[in-house]
Amino acid sequence: MTRPSWDEYFIEITRAVAKRSTCNRAQVGAIIVKDKRILTTGYNGAPRGLPHCTDVGCEIVDGHCVRTLHAEQNAIIQAALHGVSVAGGTIYSTHQPCHVCAKMIINAGLVRVVYAGAYQDEIAMQYLRAAGVQVERFEQGAAS
């Protein structure tokens, strides 16, 4: 039996969280961790009380579904809603954050992003690097 690294463990949890997604286009999950403890989780879905994509379909504008909040946004919002400080923490995501999520990650005080899937938003990467946020693409088998 091989014990998973912390990054592998937390990425696997983001994949489970993503299964709660209510957008038909992509299932994305995110968790915020500090001191090896999960603080919040988030998945992409409609705002509370509004219809989900799975119920009424996606609302597409410029090739993106605007009905849903992103997983990273929901994880950060859950922290704010419940009074949990995420400053100094790490956000794990099944996908690379977009530029809007990158700005939220920066302002939330998160210091590290670990993502598994490919999503190309170079602007997001520029913002995160400029703000000094450590960004790593998770690769299976990498030690951490």
PDB file of all heavy atoms in Angstrom, residues 23-25 53 57-67:
ATOM      1  N   CYS A  23     -23.505  22.002 -13.249  1.00  0.00           N
ATOM      2  CA  CYS A  23     -23.352  22.529 -14.603  1.00  0.00           C
ATOM      3  C   CYS A  23     -23.053  21.362 -15.538  1.00  0.00           C
ATOM      4  O   CYS A  23     -22.186  20.538 -15.241  1.00  0.00           O
ATOM      5  CB  CYS A  23     -22.234  23.571 -14.678  1.00  0.00           C
ATOM      6  SG  CYS A  23     -22.101  24.327 -16.320  1.00  0.00           S
ATOM      7  N   ASN A  24     -23.764  21.314 -16.636  1.00  0.00           N
ATOM      8  CA  ASN A  24     -23.595  20.218 -17.592  1.00  0.00           C
ATOM      9  C   ASN A  24     -22.289  20.303 -18.382  1.00  0.00           C
ATOM     10  O   ASN A  24     -21.844  19.308 -18.935  1.00  0.00           O
ATOM     11  CB  ASN A  24     -24.772  20.217 -18.578  1.00  0.00           C
ATOM     12  CG  ASN A  24     -26.094  20.036 -17.883  1.00  0.00           C
ATOM     13  OD1 ASN A  24     -26.215  19.229 -16.975  1.00  0.00           O
ATOM     14  ND2 ASN A  24     -27.096  20.802 -18.299  1.00  0.00           N
ATOM     15  N   ARG A  25     -21.678  21.468 -18.434  1.00  0.00           N
ATOM     16  CA  ARG A  25     -20.508  21.670 -19.288  1.00  0.00           C
ATOM     17  C   ARG A  25     -19.223  21.175 -18.649  1.00  0.00           C
ATOM     18  O   ARG A  25     -18.323  20.711 -19.336  1.00  0.00           O
ATOM     19  CB  ARG A  25     -20.373  23.150 -19.643  1.00  0.00           C
ATOM     20  CG  ARG A  25     -21.589  23.612 -20.440  1.00  0.00           C
ATOM     21  CD  ARG A  25     -21.425  24.994 -20.980  1.00  0.00           C
ATOM     22  NE  ARG A  25     -20.512  24.937 -22.111  1.00  0.00           N
ATOM     23  CZ  ARG A  25     -19.545  25.822 -22.332  1.00  0.00           C
ATOM     24  NH1 ARG A  25     -19.373  26.817 -21.506  1.00  0.00           N
ATOM     25  NH2 ARG A  25     -18.776  25.710 -23.378  1.00  0.00           N
ATOM     26  N   CYS A  53     -28.198  24.458 -13.925  1.00  0.00           N
ATOM     27  CA  CYS A  53     -28.057  24.063 -15.331  1.00  0.00           C
ATOM     28  C   CYS A  53     -28.684  22.691 -15.565  1.00  0.00           C
ATOM     29  O   CYS A  53     -29.287  22.454 -16.614  1.00  0.00           O
ATOM     30  CB  CYS A  53     -26.595  24.023 -15.739  1.00  0.00           C
ATOM     31  SG  CYS A  53     -25.748  25.608 -15.644  1.00  0.00           S
ATOM     32  N   GLY A  57     -30.882  24.051 -18.055  1.00  0.00           N
ATOM     33  CA  GLY A  57     -29.884  24.232 -19.104  1.00  0.00           C
ATOM     34  C   GLY A  57     -28.894  25.329 -18.776  1.00  0.00           C
ATOM     35  O   GLY A  57     -29.129  26.155 -17.893  1.00  0.00           O
ATOM     36  N   CYS A  58     -27.806  25.320 -19.482  1.00  0.00           N
ATOM     37  CA  CYS A  58     -26.761  26.324 -19.285  1.00  0.00           C
ATOM     38  C   CYS A  58     -27.190  27.643 -19.914  1.00  0.00           C
ATOM     39  O   CYS A  58     -27.980  27.657 -20.859  1.00  0.00           O
ATOM     40  CB  CYS A  58     -25.449  25.857 -19.919  1.00  0.00           C
ATOM     41  SG  CYS A  58     -24.703  24.453 -19.071  1.00  0.00           S
ATOM     42  N   GLU A  59     -26.663  28.731 -19.398  1.00  0.00           N
ATOM     43  CA  GLU A  59     -26.895  30.055 -19.963  1.00  0.00           C
ATOM     44  C   GLU A  59     -25.558  30.529 -20.512  1.00  0.00           C
ATOM     45  O   GLU A  59     -24.677  30.941 -19.752  1.00  0.00           O
ATOM     46  CB  GLU A  59     -27.410  31.008 -18.878  1.00  0.00           C
ATOM     47  CG  GLU A  59     -27.853  32.340 -19.413  1.00  0.00           C
ATOM     48  CD  GLU A  59     -28.539  33.185 -18.341  1.00  0.00           C
ATOM     49  OE1 GLU A  59     -28.859  32.669 -17.261  1.00  0.00           O
ATOM     50  OE2 GLU A  59     -28.726  34.375 -18.615  1.00  0.00           O
ATOM     51  N   ILE A  60     -25.399  30.441 -21.821  1.00  0.00           N
ATOM     52  CA  ILE A  60     -24.106  30.658 -22.459  1.00  0.00           C
ATOM     53  C   ILE A  60     -23.977  32.089 -22.973  1.00  0.00           C
ATOM     54  O   ILE A  60     -24.835  32.585 -23.705  1.00  0.00           O
ATOM     55  CB  ILE A  60     -23.898  29.671 -23.633  1.00  0.00           C
ATOM     56  CG1 ILE A  60     -24.077  28.224 -23.161  1.00  0.00           C
ATOM     57  CG2 ILE A  60     -22.534  29.882 -24.279  1.00  0.00           C
ATOM     58  CD1 ILE A  60     -23.101  27.784 -22.098  1.00  0.00           C
ATOM     59  N   VAL A  61     -22.896  32.736 -22.565  1.00  0.00           N
ATOM     60  CA  VAL A  61     -22.532  34.060 -23.055  1.00  0.00           C
ATOM     61  C   VAL A  61     -21.051  34.001 -23.419  1.00  0.00           C
ATOM     62  O   VAL A  61     -20.218  33.623 -22.586  1.00  0.00           O
ATOM     63  CB  VAL A  61     -22.785  35.155 -21.993  1.00  0.00           C
ATOM     64  CG1 VAL A  61     -22.290  36.502 -22.487  1.00  0.00           C
ATOM     65  CG2 VAL A  61     -24.263  35.224 -21.622  1.00  0.00           C
ATOM     66  N   ASP A  62     -20.726  34.354 -24.640  1.00  0.00           N
ATOM     67  CA  ASP A  62     -19.335  34.333 -25.118  1.00  0.00           C
ATOM     68  C   ASP A  62     -18.654  32.992 -24.846  1.00  0.00           C
ATOM     69  O   ASP A  62     -17.491  32.927 -24.441  1.00  0.00           O
ATOM     70  CB  ASP A  62     -18.522  35.468 -24.486  1.00  0.00           C
ATOM     71  CG  ASP A  62     -19.016  36.843 -24.916  1.00  0.00           C
ATOM     72  OD1 ASP A  62     -19.519  36.971 -26.050  1.00  0.00           O
ATOM     73  OD2 ASP A  62     -18.894  37.787 -24.118  1.00  0.00           O
ATOM     74  N   GLY A  63     -19.389  31.904 -25.025  1.00  0.00           N
ATOM     75  CA  GLY A  63     -18.825  30.567 -24.888  1.00  0.00           C
ATOM     76  C   GLY A  63     -18.696  30.056 -23.466  1.00  0.00           C
ATOM     77  O   GLY A  63     -18.138  28.989 -23.238  1.00  0.00           O
ATOM     78  N   HIS A  64     -19.192  30.817 -22.485  1.00  0.00           N
ATOM     79  CA  HIS A  64     -19.101  30.408 -21.078  1.00  0.00           C
ATOM     80  C   HIS A  64     -20.487  30.361 -20.461  1.00  0.00           C
ATOM     81  O   HIS A  64     -21.343  31.188 -20.774  1.00  0.00           O
ATOM     82  CB  HIS A  64     -18.230  31.396 -20.290  1.00  0.00           C
ATOM     83  CG  HIS A  64     -16.825  31.459 -20.749  1.00  0.00           C
ATOM     84  ND1 HIS A  64     -15.872  30.545 -20.374  1.00  0.00           N
ATOM     85  CD2 HIS A  64     -16.197  32.321 -21.585  1.00  0.00           C
ATOM     86  CE1 HIS A  64     -14.718  30.847 -20.946  1.00  0.00           C
ATOM     87  NE2 HIS A  64     -14.887  31.922 -21.689  1.00  0.00           N
ATOM     88  N   CYS A  65     -20.669  29.432 -19.543  1.00  0.00           N
ATOM     89  CA  CYS A  65     -21.933  29.371 -18.806  1.00  0.00           C
ATOM     90  C   CYS A  65     -21.884  30.421 -17.699  1.00  0.00           C
ATOM     91  O   CYS A  65     -21.020  30.367 -16.821  1.00  0.00           O
ATOM     92  CB  CYS A  65     -22.150  27.979 -18.197  1.00  0.00           C
ATOM     93  SG  CYS A  65     -23.706  27.887 -17.291  1.00  0.00           S
ATOM     94  N   VAL A  66     -22.808  31.364 -17.750  1.00  0.00           N
ATOM     95  CA  VAL A  66     -22.843  32.440 -16.753  1.00  0.00           C
ATOM     96  C   VAL A  66     -23.852  32.167 -15.638  1.00  0.00           C
ATOM     97  O   VAL A  66     -23.992  32.964 -14.722  1.00  0.00           O
ATOM     98  CB  VAL A  66     -23.114  33.817 -17.404  1.00  0.00           C
ATOM     99  CG1 VAL A  66     -21.991  34.190 -18.363  1.00  0.00           C
ATOM    100  CG2 VAL A  66     -24.461  33.834 -18.105  1.00  0.00           C
ATOM    101  N   ARG A  67     -24.546  31.053 -15.720  1.00  0.00           N
ATOM    102  CA  ARG A  67     -25.501  30.695 -14.677  1.00  0.00           C
ATOM    103  C   ARG A  67     -24.780  30.286 -13.396  1.00  0.00           C
ATOM    104  O   ARG A  67     -25.297  30.460 -12.298  1.00  0.00           O
ATOM    105  CB  ARG A  67     -26.401  29.543 -15.155  1.00  0.00           C
ATOM    106  CG  ARG A  67     -27.453  29.128 -14.148  1.00  0.00           C
ATOM    107  CD  ARG A  67     -28.361  28.019 -14.674  1.00  0.00           C
ATOM    108  NE  ARG A  67     -28.980  28.320 -15.945  1.00  0.00           N
ATOM    109  CZ  ARG A  67     -30.013  29.159 -16.137  1.00  0.00           C
ATOM    110  NH1 ARG A  67     -30.531  29.795 -15.116  1.00  0.00           N
ATOM    111  NH2 ARG A  67     -30.507  29.345 -17.338  1.00  0.00           N
TER     112      ARG A  67
END
